[in-house]
Amino acid sequence: MNFNPNLKIDEIIVRYALLLVVGIVAGVLHAYWMIPVVMGIFLTAVLGWCPVKAMMKGKKVTAS
């Protein structure tokens, strides 16, 4: 699997916005079980790499 960044800048910005919304909701509701979800969003935004997108692209290349 290729671990090079595969997200465009607009996708990264959307992930940061999603991170803020989910993080604030989790903090206000004291939903500590949402921390792994927030960390996953944070890591994909910071790294610029989405494993789902990488798998889909990999399958598309092997199919053609």
Side-chain angles (χ1 to χ4, degrees):
M1 186 176 294
N2 188 4
F3 292 106
N4 291 330
N6 61 359
L7 295 177
K8 293 182 262 177
I9 191 70
D10 57 340
E11 294 172 326
I12 293 172
I13 292 170
V14 168
R15 288 178 192 254
Y16 274 117
L18 183 65
L19 168 70
L20 287 174
V21 169
V22 175
I24 290 171
V25 169
V28 167
L29 297 177
H30 298 286
Y32 299 116
W33 57 271
M34 289 183 73
I35 291 174
V37 175
V38 174
M39 288 301 299
I41 297 170
F42 172 74
L43 286 175
T44 58
V46 167
L47 297 175
W49 181 75
C50 178
V52 176
K53 192 172 183 180
M55 286 190 295
M56 297 298 272
K57 187 176 181 183
K59 288 184 180 183
K60 192 183 298 182
V61 170
T62 57
S64 59

